[in-house]
Amino acid sequence: MRILHVSDSHLGYSAYHKIAENGLNQREVDVYNSFKQFVDYAIEKKPDLIIHSGDFFDSVRPTNRALFFALQQLLKISDAEIPFIILSGNHETPKMRETGSVFRLFEHIPYIYPIYKGKLEEIEIGNAIVHAIPHCFSNEDLKKNIENVKKRENFINILVLHVGIIGIKEFRRGDFNEQIIPSGCLPIDFDYIALGHYHKATQVTENAYYAGSTEYFSFKEAGEQKGFYDVEINRKVNFIPLKVRQMINLGAIDCSLLSPEEITHEIIRRADEKGVDGKIVRIELKKIGRGKYKALNWERIKKLASSALHFEMPYEFFEMEQELRGRSKIGNLEEEWREYIASVPIGGNKKEIEELALKYLHEVSR
């Protein structure tokens, strides 16, 4: 059996302020283009099954434009008669059960199987059973759903999850609503486990894979390859790269011993070495004095940055770091209060006010 495993397309995502020729946000267009590449590949290769393991959309309420694009691509797949299972991830799953899911729009499209109801669903495709668990409404729900997964004899068994994994290595993103499971929860006797949520294509266990995202969504991902898996069950797993806009992190420059001219030169040297035209670029300035920062050759830097789609240069002022180091250690609450009250002009019985406040502090800190 041949399947395509893709994940974390985040349709509708937009960032920065560059506008494409069609008037849309350029990053939004980039995200659409990368997913269209995947769909074109799928239609050309015509696998037995496509699995999308979550975060198909970037938000619970995608724009009409994102919905229109998604429907266009799903109808292409439907017309090609390729079964396509789409799992709801943490980005598109509503926080409350009462809130409807946008995935309901796809329920009546032939060959499209949206999985979004917060519970385990089993879909039979040919000689395979796909056990699909979408993002759940609670960790307890997730645990129960995983416990309910049972291997079916005489079938190819595929598990689909959108979760972070902890074990010898950790695969998590730190999202506010991400759900995490131990690697020991992944059944070792399944034929393939399609994971979503972690944006780097990674083999987690012998039979479990994160497909990664189809585009760059954070500088944490800079330099990673973006794509999807072309899988022949129990034979081989091939990573297929997508052509996406490059995101590069030029690292940090320690500016403490450099002059403004040397800092400017180093910024330009690093940028020229990697090339920034049309790319998304980041370089960080560490321990730079305010005077040095103002004295940088901004004309040269802005000219360099203008060719990038996005060029960001966060900085850490040397003076701020020194101030933080020079601050005395914060004392306990009583000491802080005594210092504060001593510095404030108060009429009346200042001693009585001070002692009353200390009494309350003592009571709440027991």
Side-chain angles (χ1 to χ4, degrees):
M1 184 179 197
R2 184 181 186 182
I3 69 170
L4 299 184
H5 173 202
V6 67
S7 193
D8 293 87
S9 48
H10 290 271
L11 301 180
Y13 169 88
S14 65
Y16 318 130
H17 304 291
K18 289 289 176 75
I19 303 300
E21 291 180 0
N22 60 4
L24 303 181
N25 178 275
Q26 183 61 64
R27 286 303 285 148
E28 183 178 354
V29 172
D30 290 345
V31 167
Y32 294 149
N33 286 343
S34 64
F35 189 72
K36 183 177 181 299
Q37 285 179 58
F38 165 75
V39 172
D40 291 345
Y41 179 95
I43 291 170
E44 178 189 345
K45 302 300 181 182
K46 202 159 185 183
D48 300 302
L49 171 66
I50 301 172
I51 293 172
H52 191 298
S53 50
D55 285 354
F56 185 65
F57 290 113
D58 190 54
S59 66
V60 173
R61 289 286 173 264
T63 63
N64 288 340
R65 186 164 57 242
L67 279 171
F68 178 72
F69 173 81
L71 283 167
Q72 279 184 317
Q73 303 309 308
L74 294 180
L75 288 171
K76 285 182 187 179
I77 292 169
S78 176
D79 289 344
E81 300 183 354
I82 305 170
F84 188 7
I85 292 172
I86 315 175
L87 198 75
S88 183
N90 61 305
H91 271 253
E92 64 244 320
T93 300
K95 295 178 186 175
M96 299 175 64
R97 296 175 191 268
E98 296 77 15
T99 306
S101 170
V102 69
F103 275 30
R104 291 179 64 187
L105 294 173
F106 309 145
E107 284 186 325
H108 303 295
I109 303 176
Y111 297 96
I112 307 300
Y113 301 86
I115 310 296
Y116 63 91
K117 296 175 182 176
K119 62 182 181 180
L120 169 68
E121 295 186 42
E122 295 182 344
I123 306 98
E124 185 175 333
I125 306 289
N127 65 336
I129 295 290
V130 179
H131 312 254
I133 302 175
H135 184 79
C136 298
F137 294 104
S138 70
N139 287 319
E140 189 60 33
D141 286 348
L142 174 62
K143 182 181 176 184
K144 288 177 182 176
N145 280 314
I146 291 173
E147 289 172 352
N148 288 333
V149 173
K150 306 298 180 190
K151 182 181 177 181
R152 297 270 291 274
E153 296 301 326
N154 303 316
F155 281 94
I156 292 171
N157 284 266
I158 300 169
L159 176 62
V160 189
L161 290 163
H162 189 87
V163 294
I165 304 288
I166 54 173
I168 296 174
K169 290 185 178 180
E170 288 196 5
F171 304 94
R172 60 199 300 176
R173 290 184 48 75
D175 293 356
F176 73 96
N177 62 341
E178 73 179 346
Q179 292 177 332
I180 308 294
I181 64 170
S183 57
C185 289
L186 301 176
I188 60 174
D189 56 348
F190 268 47
D191 297 283
Y192 187 80
I193 301 176
L195 298 171
H197 183 58
Y198 189 63
H199 282 194
K200 183 178 181 179
T202 308
Q203 181 176 2
V204 179
T205 64
E206 188 175 343
N207 62 343
Y209 293 80
Y210 279 110
S213 58
T214 54
E215 249 289 359
Y216 294 104
F217 299 103
S218 162
F219 275 102
K220 293 177 183 177
E221 303 168 29
E224 297 173 1
Q225 268 200 314
K226 297 300 177 181
F228 56 93
Y229 286 120
D230 190 334
V231 184
E232 291 184 43
I233 296 293
N234 296 321
R235 290 185 62 191
K236 59 182 178 179
V237 178
N238 292 325
F239 180 77
I240 309 298
L242 291 166
K243 293 179 181 177
V244 299
R245 188 180 301 278
Q246 288 189 53
M247 176 181 278
I248 56 174
N249 191 335
L250 299 178
I253 300 173
D254 184 344
C255 303
S256 57
L257 301 177
L258 301 179
S259 67
E261 293 76 18
E262 289 171 324
I263 297 167
T264 301
H265 173 78
E266 182 62 13
I267 292 168
I268 293 170
R269 184 193 69 77
R270 293 191 188 191
D272 286 344
E273 187 178 273
K274 296 287 186 180
V276 300
D277 287 0
K279 298 178 184 177
I280 304 163
V281 185
R282 187 179 197 269
I283 189 167
E284 191 175 0
L285 304 182
K286 293 274 196 180
K287 300 179 181 179
I288 186 169
R290 296 175 191 272
K292 284 185 186 180
Y293 184 78
K294 290 179 182 178
L296 295 176
N297 191 329
W298 287 105
E299 185 177 346
R300 291 182 68 191
I301 293 170
K302 287 176 181 177
K303 183 179 178 182
L304 166 78
S306 65
S307 67
L309 176 82
H310 173 73
F311 190 102
E312 66 180 56
M313 195 166 67
Y315 54 85
E316 174 193 88
F317 279 139
F318 180 71
E319 291 89 346
M320 187 180 295
E321 186 181 86
Q322 292 297 96
E323 286 171 14
L324 289 171
R325 283 182 182 174
R327 285 180 187 171
S328 60
K329 201 173 181 181
I330 296 175
N332 62 39
L333 281 173
E334 290 189 16
E335 290 170 352
E336 292 290 313
W337 170 251
R338 290 186 193 279
E339 287 182 17
Y340 171 74
I341 198 72
S343 65
V344 178
I346 297 177
N349 194 336
K350 187 172 185 177
K351 185 69 176 173
E352 185 179 338
I353 294 171
E354 179 182 343
E355 294 304 324
L356 182 62
L358 287 173
K359 177 188 173 186
Y360 290 144
L361 283 174
H362 180 69
E363 287 177 359
V364 300
S365 61
R366 284 180 189 174

